[in-house]
Every structure is written in C-alpha cells, then in structure tokens.
Amino acid sequence: MPAAGTRSASAGAAIPLSRGPALHPGAWWLWALALGTAATRTTNPLLLALLVAVSAYVVIARRPHAPWSRSYGAFVKLALAVLLVRLFFTTVFGSAIPGTHTVVTLPEVPLPDWAQGIRLGGRVTAEGLAFALYEAMKLATLLVCVGAANALANPSRLLKSLPGALYEMGVAVVVALTFAPNLIADVQRLRAARRLRGRPDHGVRGLLQVGLPVLEGALERSVALAAAMDARGYGRTARVPARVRRTTAVLTLGGLLGVCAGTYGLLTAAGGTYGVPVLLVGVAAALGGLWLGGRRTVRTRYRPDRWDARAWLVTASGVAVAALMFLAAARDPAALHPGVVPLVAPTLPLWPAAAVLVGLLPAFVTPAPHPVPVKEPS
C-alpha cells in the first residue's frame, strides 16, 4: 500500500498529494484583475516591472499542469509586442512630447497640407521614447496580469461558479478563453513532432504545414463541444411569469447604468458626492437582476467549488495592492508618474513597492499543483 499522504500513479510511481482542494477560480481572476487595476494607477517602470515579477512568481509557483495553463508565455510575448509596436510608432511618427536629447534623426518625408500635425521621420528624442515606453508598459503589465489569470484559473470550473443569469454568456467567454491555450498547445505539439521527423517548423512553409492540422483539431473540438452541450440539455429554460422577466430586465439595465454613473462620479471631482451612493445602489440592483434572471436557467452543480478562507486571502491580497496603489497615487503622484520633461531616472518608492509585494501572498497560502506522474522505465 502507498504511504499516507501519497497516491499511486497508473505507472506505479508514488506522487505526493497537494495540501488541499484547488482554489476557487474566481479568486484567481479577482487577484489578477486587482493587480491589473494597480498597474493602471502608475507609469513608473520599476513598479510596473515589480507587478510583472509578482504575477510571474505566483504563476511559476502555482500554475497547474494543464494545457490551458501554458498560455502565460503567449501573453508575455503579446506584452513585449505591445512595447515594440509603441516604440516603433513613436520612432517613425514622432511624439507630441517636447525633448532636447536627440537619439537619432531619421529622414523626414514631406506630407501634404491635409496631414498637418502628422510627422513621418525626423528627430527622435529620448523624452518621447521614455514617455512611450512608460505608457506601453502600463498596457503590457495589464496583459501579463490577464495572462496570469488564464494560466491559474481552470476555465471549466470558472463556468460552474457563474450565476445562472450569466451562464450563456459565460459559456461563450470560457470557450473563447479555452480556445487560445489549446491552440497554442496544438502548435507546440505539432512543431515538436515536425522537428523529431527532421522537417522544417519555421518560416512560411512550416507555418502553412502546421496550420492545417491545427485548424482541423479546432474544428473537431468545436463539433465535440456542440455534441456534449446538446447531450447535456444546454439551452433549456424554465417558465417564469412575464412580470418577473420585466422586473429582471429593469433591475439589470438600471443596475448597470447606476454602476456606470457611480463609477463616473468617483472618477470626476464634481461627482464625488453622489458617486458612492449611486454605485452601491447600481450594484445592488444588478445583483438582484442577476438573482432573478438565474431562475430561468435549469442547471445543477456537481461538487461546486467552495469559497474558503484561502480564496478570501488571495482576493484580499490583490485588492490590498490595488487600494494601496490608489492611495499612493493620491498622496505622492510624482513618485508613481515620473516625469520625462526634464528627463530624469525613475526611482522606486519604498512603501508602494512594499504594497506590490503583498500580491505574493497566493504563492504561500494556496495548494501546490499536482506534480506530473513520472513513468518508470520498462
């Protein structure tokens, strides 16, 4: 018999059990979105790099061994592409930021009168490049945080946790989020197979010969998914009175409008008095509409995920990072938004950096992923 605390693999190797049940997928998404919200409050490249490092460490420590968890590298590459594209456009088309430190002077192409305000070529300044880099890093960090959520949260388990009113929309979102990781896994598998056979896997020829099997696999998965959904009775709705449907529509639409108006009030100085009450009323109305709308969906949950203390800790760590970054942006905006005119080297503010490190908490309070079974040689 295997020793306590282990389970036997099919090949006979003993694998240690994880320290507990898997974390609720909604907690991972809330944590990642909170880190992304914190990234929107600063253009300091050191703080943004620290946010990326925090999310990367948690992903490396807690990413499960599943095909959909391999998409993190693709999001990192997409973030790097955003940086390069932004710097390229700033170099070619210039920047509105005035600068005195010339990096390079490109040949300038004269444009007609109707293209006034647009420059093609000319002087490229360090101030303009620094401003473009800071703004691009903000978007790149947000993409990396979304990639961390995709790599950590199981999309099928996330679908089970959605309220009934959002089930149809949740299926579409989960299928979309699952398609990209599976597509990346198929491309990696086919390229590895072609390399083992001594065939090219780079260039236009390799892309064309890999693309057709990937497209065929995506089509087969779509047909299998449609058959599985049809066999499970997807799309059935319960009969509810007409007044309940009308009340649901009014509460949902009114709640969303209230959330938009309250958020606008919070972001503007003139709406500070009504922003919080309108936002709270809108959230309450939207939740009421979602609860009533869930009565139309006939569905059951098998072993629903529990929102336990660890999920609260993970969510609280992300929310704490976002809240402290909001506070830091209000108290010391110069530290979170380093100037480029005149061009100065950015400094790392200590207590906002310490606040970002709070986001490392999920790496220590969540269970480790199940290790991959190692087959014994025959």
Side-chain angles (χ1 to χ4, degrees):
M1 294 180 64
T6 63
R7 61 183 176 90
S8 297
S10 58
I15 305 171
L17 287 172
S18 64
R19 296 191 297 269
L23 188 72
H24 195 288
W28 284 126
W29 270 99
L30 292 176
W31 169 81
L33 292 178
L35 292 187
T37 303
T40 62
R41 307 310 302 172
T42 179
T43 56
N44 190 317
L46 300 179
L47 287 177
L48 293 173
L50 188 59
L51 281 169
V52 172
V54 166
S55 65
Y57 181 83
V58 175
V59 168
I60 293 173
R62 291 297 179 260
R63 177 171 56 181
H65 303 286
W68 45 264
S69 66
R70 302 172 188 170
S71 60
Y72 184 73
F75 278 91
V76 173
K77 294 178 182 177
L78 179 60
L80 293 176
V82 167
L83 293 177
L84 295 177
V85 169
R86 181 62 186 272
L87 292 177
F88 173 78
F89 274 91
T90 301
T91 302
V92 175
F93 297 103
S95 174
I97 303 299
T100 57
H101 299 79
T102 303
V103 177
V104 65
T105 302
L106 300 177
E108 187 170 356
V109 178
L111 297 177
D113 295 337
W114 54 266
Q116 292 294 330
I118 302 176
R119 179 173 63 84
L120 189 59
R123 192 167 63 97
V124 180
T125 62
E127 289 84 353
L129 290 177
F131 179 80
L133 178 64
Y134 294 172
E135 293 295 326
M137 283 190 67
K138 183 192 299 186
L139 178 58
T141 305
L142 183 58
L143 289 173
V144 170
C145 292
V146 174
N150 277 278
L152 293 169
N154 190 329
S156 60
R157 290 178 51 223
L158 182 63
L159 175 62
K160 290 199 310 180
S161 305
L162 287 177
L166 300 178
Y167 185 65
E168 289 82 359
M169 182 179 67
V171 168
V173 173
V174 169
V175 169
L177 291 177
T178 310
F179 176 77
N182 287 330
L183 190 66
I184 294 171
D186 286 347
V187 171
Q188 293 175 348
R189 176 175 54 83
L190 290 171
R191 290 183 62 184
R194 291 184 63 83
R195 285 195 298 268
L196 291 175
R197 293 181 175 92
R199 298 177 181 177
D201 61 327
H202 292 85
V204 178
R205 181 181 177 184
L207 180 62
L208 293 177
Q209 294 183 355
V210 169
L212 185 59
V214 170
L215 181 61
E216 182 181 0
L219 182 60
E220 291 179 354
R221 279 195 302 270
S222 300
V223 174
L225 176 63
M229 293 169 65
D230 183 66
R232 289 168 173 80
Y234 172 78
R236 294 180 301 168
T237 57
R239 294 182 178 180
V240 295
R243 58 182 180 84
V244 175
R245 293 198 300 269
R246 289 192 293 267
T247 304
T248 302
V250 170
L251 286 176
T252 304
L253 293 178
L256 294 178
L257 290 176
V259 169
C260 294
T263 304
Y264 176 80
L266 290 177
L267 296 177
T268 58
T273 56
Y274 69 85
V276 174
V278 173
L279 180 62
L280 294 178
V281 172
V283 170
L287 292 177
L290 292 177
W291 178 76
L292 288 176
R295 298 172 60 182
R296 296 183 65 247
T297 303
V298 182
R299 58 191 289 255
T300 59
R301 289 188 177 94
Y302 177 68
R303 292 183 179 179
D305 292 309
R306 295 178 56 190
W307 191 277
D308 52 9
R310 294 175 305 173
W312 283 112
L313 286 174
V314 170
T315 305
S317 67
V319 173
V321 173
L324 291 174
M325 290 295 287
F326 270 87
L327 180 61
R331 295 186 59 181
D332 192 6
L336 269 66
H337 299 278
V340 295
V341 180
L343 186 62
V344 294
T347 59
L348 182 64
L350 294 181
W351 77 267
V356 173
L357 294 179
V358 177
L360 290 172
L361 184 63
F364 305 99
V365 301
T366 56
H370 289 290
V372 178
V374 179
K375 293 184 178 181
E376 295 180 350
S378 56

